[in-house]
């Protein structure tokens, strides 16, 4: 699917099925390609190819029952089947002629996965991840059936196979949508099993993400940032608690909930206006947008059903989406090789570093605009998202500051969760309880933010490492007079190099003058 989304395949009509024969053939292809690396003259391209082969090898060595992959997209299995439906067939109409073939491939793959994992023993985390993957596929199939009922026969066949797959992981209460129901199940199983190092950890930090830091170093970095910024978030929360709509809110979680309620908007009704205002402001003042390009598939979207969401959560999500879509839209156009246009886990540290900075810069831009006497139309449209008049705009900017700080705190908590749980230092449920007591955010909030990344060991750690290094490079170049536009544009032009190369190129500063990757 990654190859299709990056334009390397004309259609999406099949899925990789990891039979013994197919896996052996893939290993042989990886070995053969690695033998050809010395013939690649460009040193950066050769290192990128080597890193990508290492990542693919690691994914073959550590198959996951849910199909989760290191980039967040499904690497295979049920997750990949669901991703194909959601990101291609339900969001594009150009692939409809291939839909019947794709559904047949999904049916075959789900049957294979149910047989593949039969008789295995799974911990409670894996069970919950697989139940979530099954739910994701089931939801996508329901949307598909509603849109194209002519495929009902094939969809019903997949649903029958999916029930067999789900039975492998079912535990009473674990598949519930209610936190109060499934959390005690998670906690009970965790208490019995105790802490355990995840298979392939910490080697996956290097193999999948090219991180050079150890788990201890990553934990120290994330802990230091958490301790530095938690008091800032708490101070902002105290100021908001003095406002009428937040009166009586005592904890960080309670204040945040009041903000989310006070600034709730209908996502679908506001999406076009918010996207246009953020996009126009970002393109003019923060980062370039490739002429004629469209945002990539990682851009944030409203859920399919009507939903109330906080205005500031939307702005933050669009800032994060802009960082990923910048890389997907700009990188392939400037790439010297199709290899550099692939959407892989190699891009995660750089794109997450850019997201970290853009989230803060979008908020800081609104803060600075409060003092602009005569904003231009682009500035005025962006500031109007925070309020209609100066008084409500100032209040909105304060509340948006809390949203931004909380998103940063969650990033650090995720990284700590990644390394401490996967390194066998704590159980997952014990960590969530510790993080809730430390931050003042609820266990349910922290679970919702952390759990989805736990199927990809090292991914949350790469978010924090990328953020820390990218922010430092941004600060250093800003001191040298490099604008936000120039810096973020240069980062986009790094293509999907391994993180050490992309980071080194940004540190050298040559891309700011040449405009080349």
């Amino acid at each position: 699917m990654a190859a299709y989304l990056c334009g390397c395949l004309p259609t999406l009509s099949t899925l990789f099925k990891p039979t013994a024969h197919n896996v052996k053939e893939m290993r042989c292809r990886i070995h053969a390609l690695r033998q050809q690396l010395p013939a690649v003259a460009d040193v950066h391209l050769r290192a990128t190819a080597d890193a990508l082969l290492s990542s693919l090898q690691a994914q073959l060595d550590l198959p996951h029952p849910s199909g989760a992959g290191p980039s967040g997209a499904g690497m295979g299995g049920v997750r990949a089947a669901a991703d194909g439906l959601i990101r291609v067939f339900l969001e594009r109409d150009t692939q409809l002629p291939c839909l019947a073939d794709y559904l047949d491939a999904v049916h075959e793959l789900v049957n294979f996965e149910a047989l593949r994992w039969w008789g295995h023993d799974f911990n409670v985390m894996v069970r919950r991840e697989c139940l979530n993957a099954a739910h994701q596929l089931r939801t996508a199939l329901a949307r598909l059936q509603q849109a194209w009922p002519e495929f009902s026969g094939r969809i019903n066949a997949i649903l029958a196979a999916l029930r067999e797959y789900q039975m492998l992981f079912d535990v009473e209460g674990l598949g519930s949508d209610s936190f109060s129901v499934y959390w005690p199940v998670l906690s009970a199983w965790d208490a019995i099993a105790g802490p355990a190092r995840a298979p392939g950890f910490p080697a996956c930090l290097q193999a999948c993400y090219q991180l050079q830091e150890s788990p201890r170093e990553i934990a120290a970095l994330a802990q230091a940032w958490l301790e530095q910024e938690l008091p800032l978030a708490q101070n902002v929360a105290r100021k908001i608690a003095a406002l009428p709509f937040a009166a009586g809110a005592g904890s960080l979680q309670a204040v945040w909930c009041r903000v989310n309620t006070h600034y709730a908007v209908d996502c679908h009704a506001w999406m076009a206006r918010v996207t246009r205002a953020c996009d126009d402001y970002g393109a003019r003042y923060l980062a370039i947008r490739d002429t004629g390009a469209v945002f990539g598939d990682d851009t944030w979207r409203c859920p399919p059903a009507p939903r109330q969401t906080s205005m500031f959560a939307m702005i933050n999500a669009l800032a994060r989406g802009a960082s990923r879509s910048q890389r997907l839209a700009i990188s392939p156009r400037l790439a010297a090789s199709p290899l550099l246009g692939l959407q892989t886990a190699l891009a995660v540290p750089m794109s997450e570093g850019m997201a970290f900075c853009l989230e803060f810069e979008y908020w800081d831009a609104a803060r600075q605009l409060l003092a602009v006497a005569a904003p231009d139309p682009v500035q005025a449209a962006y500031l109007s998202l925070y309020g209609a008049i100066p008084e409500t705009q100032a209040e909105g900017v304060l509340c948006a500051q809390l949203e931004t700080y909380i998103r940063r705190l969650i990033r650090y908590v995720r990284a700590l969760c990644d390394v401490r749980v996967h390194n066998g230092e704590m159980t997952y449920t014990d960590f969530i309880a510790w993080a809730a007591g430390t931050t003042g955010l609820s266990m349910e909030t922290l679970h919702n933010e952390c759990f989805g990344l736990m199927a990809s060991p090292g991914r949350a750690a790469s978010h924090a490492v990328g953020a820390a290094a990218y922010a430092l490079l941004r600060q250093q170049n800003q001191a040298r007079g490099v604008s936000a536009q120039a810096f973020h544009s240069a980062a986009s032009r790094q293509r999907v190099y391994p993180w050490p190369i992309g980071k080194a190129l940004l540190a050298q500063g040559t891309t700011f003058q040449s405009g080349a990757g």
Side-chain angles (χ1 to χ4, degrees):
M1 188 182 69
Y4 169 75
L5 291 173
C6 294
C8 297
L9 292 177
T11 61
L12 181 65
S13 59
T14 189
L15 289 160
F16 177 70
K17 187 167 70 170
T19 63
H21 171 78
N22 288 345
V23 170
K24 181 179 179 180
E25 184 176 335
M26 187 65 71
R27 292 185 193 280
C28 290
R29 291 175 64 183
I30 290 173
H31 178 75
L33 288 169
R34 201 178 288 281
Q35 299 305 306
Q36 299 175 33
L37 289 179
V40 180
D42 185 292
V43 62
H44 292 159
L45 187 59
R46 183 166 64 250
T48 301
D50 186 38
L52 182 56
L53 292 174
S54 295
S55 179
L56 291 172
Q57 181 70 54
Q59 292 174 65
L60 288 175
D61 291 343
L62 293 169
H64 202 282
S66 71
S71 67
M75 188 269 173
V78 172
R79 275 286 301 276
D83 283 346
L85 290 176
I86 294 168
R87 301 175 69 183
V88 178
F89 296 102
L90 288 171
E91 293 177 355
R92 310 173 183 212
D93 57 11
T94 57
Q95 284 291 301
L96 283 182
C98 303
L99 181 53
D101 289 339
Y102 185 80
L103 289 174
D104 289 341
V106 170
H107 183 212
E108 185 177 351
L109 181 62
V110 174
N111 273 326
F112 173 80
E113 292 294 309
L115 290 172
R116 180 189 189 193
W117 299 110
W118 184 86
H120 289 250
D121 189 25
F122 307 102
N123 66 37
V124 70
M125 296 283 287
V126 171
R127 289 175 181 273
R128 176 73 188 184
E129 289 161 8
C130 292
L131 293 175
N132 286 352
H135 176 75
Q136 184 181 16
L137 179 55
R138 189 181 303 105
T139 301
L141 289 169
R143 290 175 57 194
L144 194 72
Q145 192 164 31
Q146 186 175 17
W148 294 287
E150 60 268 31
F151 294 106
S152 292
R154 286 181 166 89
I155 291 172
N156 289 334
I158 297 171
L159 290 172
L162 193 60
R163 285 191 289 271
E164 297 294 321
Y165 171 84
Q166 183 172 331
M167 286 173 59
L168 301 178
F169 310 101
D170 257 338
V171 173
E172 185 176 358
L174 188 61
S176 172
D177 293 332
S178 172
F179 180 80
S180 63
V181 174
Y182 67 73
W183 188 253
V185 181
L186 273 173
S187 298
W189 278 58
D190 245 4
I192 294 171
R197 176 172 286 182
F201 192 88
C204 61
L205 297 172
Q206 169 68 29
C208 295
Y209 305 99
Q210 295 293 297
L211 300 186
Q212 299 163 312
E213 294 81 2
S214 69
R216 183 183 296 273
E217 290 170 327
I218 295 169
L221 180 150
Q223 183 71 39
W225 278 36
L226 180 65
E227 292 174 358
Q228 175 181 311
E229 298 202 354
L230 179 58
L232 302 177
Q234 292 168 333
N235 184 51
V236 174
R238 281 192 290 269
K239 293 179 181 178
I240 295 172
L243 300 175
F245 73 84
S251 68
L252 189 62
Q253 179 73 50
V255 174
W256 191 30
C257 288
R258 295 286 186 91
V259 168
N260 289 341
T261 301
H262 189 68
Y263 289 95
V265 296
D266 182 276
C267 182
H268 291 271
W270 280 81
M271 190 63 177
R273 175 182 168 183
V274 177
T275 301
R276 177 64 180 270
C278 293
D279 188 16
D280 288 349
Y281 188 87
R284 179 172 295 187
Y285 294 105
L286 296 178
I288 66 169
R289 183 175 65 178
D290 199 21
T291 303
V294 296
F295 272 173
D297 289 87
D298 281 335
T299 304
W300 186 78
R301 298 175 176 85
C302 290
R307 175 185 163 188
Q308 293 282 307
T309 189
S310 162
M311 169 64 73
F312 308 131
M314 288 182 69
I315 294 172
N316 256 297
L318 287 165
R320 291 193 298 276
S323 71
R324 295 161 188 148
S325 59
Q326 285 273 353
R327 293 188 57 76
L328 292 178
I330 295 173
S331 299
R333 184 178 68 83
L334 299 178
S337 165
L339 175 67
L340 300 178
L342 291 176
Q343 180 187 359
T344 72
L346 299 182
V348 172
M350 181 72 78
S351 62
E352 288 299 326
M354 188 187 297
F356 180 80
C357 285
L358 284 176
E359 288 172 7
F360 188 85
E361 288 172 3
Y362 267 96
W363 165 76
D364 194 50
R367 180 188 64 81
Q368 294 183 49
L369 286 174
L370 292 174
V372 176
D376 64 37
V378 170
Q379 293 171 327
Y382 177 61
L383 187 58
S384 71
L385 300 179
Y386 295 80
I389 58 176
E391 290 78 9
T392 57
Q393 288 169 350
E395 196 173 284
V397 168
L398 178 65
C399 292
Q401 184 179 16
L402 181 67
E403 172 72 28
T404 302
Y405 273 125
I406 285 178
R407 297 313 313 177
R408 292 163 76 91
L409 296 179
I410 287 172
R411 186 181 292 265
Y412 313 144
V413 168
R414 284 171 166 174
L416 286 169
C417 186
D418 189 353
V419 295
R420 288 182 178 171
V421 175
H422 287 138
N423 208 34
E425 299 171 24
M426 301 178 73
T427 67
Y428 173 75
T429 51
D430 282 347
F431 174 85
I432 294 297
W434 170 84
T438 299
T439 64
L441 296 172
S442 72
M443 289 200 297
E444 183 173 5
T445 290
L446 292 170
H447 165 70
N448 289 338
E449 294 292 342
C450 292
F451 189 81
L453 295 173
M454 295 302 288
S456 305
R459 187 172 170 224
S462 74
H463 289 191
V465 170
Y470 193 98
L472 179 60
L473 288 168
R474 169 78 181 93
Q475 185 179 27
Q476 292 171 344
N477 282 282
Q478 188 176 24
R480 293 200 291 262
V482 178
S483 69
Q485 280 183 306
F487 185 81
H488 296 315
S489 299
S492 293
R493 286 191 294 263
Q494 296 314 313
R495 313 156 192 175
V496 192
Y497 286 133
W499 170 237
I501 294 177
K503 181 173 60 173
L505 290 174
L506 279 181
Q508 292 167 10
T510 55
T511 56
F512 305 128
Q513 288 79 37
S514 67

